[in-house]
Amino acid sequence: MTSLDGLPLRPELRGRTPYGAPQLQVKHRLNTNENPHPLPDALLADLADALGRAAAGLNRYPDRDALALRGDLARYLRQTSGVALEPAQVWAANGSNEVLQQVLQAFGGAGRTALGFTPSYSMHPIISAGTGTGWVDGRRRADFTIDTADAVAQVRAVRPDVVFVTSPNNPTGTAVALGTIEAIHDATEGIVVVDEAYAEFARAGTPSALTLLAGRPRLVVSRTMSKAFGMAGLRLGYLAADRAVVDALQLVRLPYHLGSLTQAAARTALAHTDALLATVDAVKAERDRIVAALPALGLTSVPSDANFVLFGRFADARAAWQALLDRDVLVRDVGLPGWLRVTAGTAEETDAFLTALGEVAATAAGHGGGSAA
Ligand SMILES: *Cc1c(COP(=O)(O)O)cnc(C)c1O
């Protein structure tokens, strides 16, 4: 076996590290923002049935355009956001990561640039690198919010071909005001991708960027079934945009990219939307319980519209991460000095997390920059 240096690897990939959230056998896995609630029995029964029927057709290629599934997704978005969408305005792939990759294949690529406001989703620069798209780290305020005027200035200076706005943002948790998204959109001639992976968890009164789509053919809103729907193993992500954007994606998608089993499982899950999303309020309540418990531990958090909380500050976040892991609680070290991210899930997980954190915080908090309480 040789090392990567012994291979004729593309130069821009040299020295990079792959996406790598640890997959450890730990009692409480609170590091990848999955929904821990078990899937409803009625859904599992219907899945067995639907997958059995789809399996009988596996000798044939799947519906290349996934039309029925896209119709179901358009209906779900309409029901939850009030925005009327045609199936032709919706596109689906194996996780929203594949959707984003297709967007960059079509609108980024060699000689082109993507801009995102960091810290944000670590996969945006990784998918940019994989598609040969240049990447520029945009700025945020110290409190991790986006300053609209500064964002507009950055977009005007960089002139990116693709701009990413993650709302609610990962790893910080806060949703972005629609006015900021509009201003960013109006400052660029490129594609603006609003990554709404956590939209279903947003605090009441937080509108979706879906409401901005009409009349903005360069705006794209991506969603996923990995988080609120509790179907991370399914690998189903999707976007809504002008139908011309969807037409452009057809130029780069692999034929038959979305397997028959995935399409059947996703449609079955969408038929159980109400039961699947019934856990969202409970998860939000656990998120809010975590936020409320932090000050008594000498810790603070960033306002969250998601199913996770960025909490701190620690003099040594890595040591705090390890100390929690030693207590069977796996959280995420997102590489932000002083901060860690925890996924909100069941009440039992919150109890275990807060108990472990109480022990850890007693020794670790308060020296990471002076805003501990
Ligand atoms: C988890 C997450 C996704 C989801 O990716 P999938 O490929 O759909 O599982 C997308 N964007 C952000 C910001 C995320 O945190």
Side-chain angles (χ1 to χ4, degrees), residues 314-329:
F314 297 98
D316 184 345
R318 189 71 197 174
W321 178 87
Q322 183 63 53
L324 288 167
L325 185 58
D326 294 343
R327 289 161 177 81
D328 238 2
V329 175

Side-chain angles (χ1 to χ4, degrees), residues 33 94-98 121 124 166 170 195 197-198 224 226-227 235-237:
N33 300 341
N94 298 280
S96 53
N97 277 282
E98 187 180 22
Y121 187 41
H124 296 158
T166 313
N170 176 14
D195 184 338
Y198 301 96
T224 182
S226 297
K227 306 286 164 53
R235 309 306 302 130
L236 199 290

Side-chain angles (χ1 to χ4, degrees), residues 290-313:
I290 292 170
V291 167
L294 292 171
L297 303 177
L299 295 166
T300 186
S301 64
V302 176
S304 177
D305 291 291
N307 63 338
F308 58 81
V309 178
L310 191 74
F311 65 102
R313 301 175 60 162

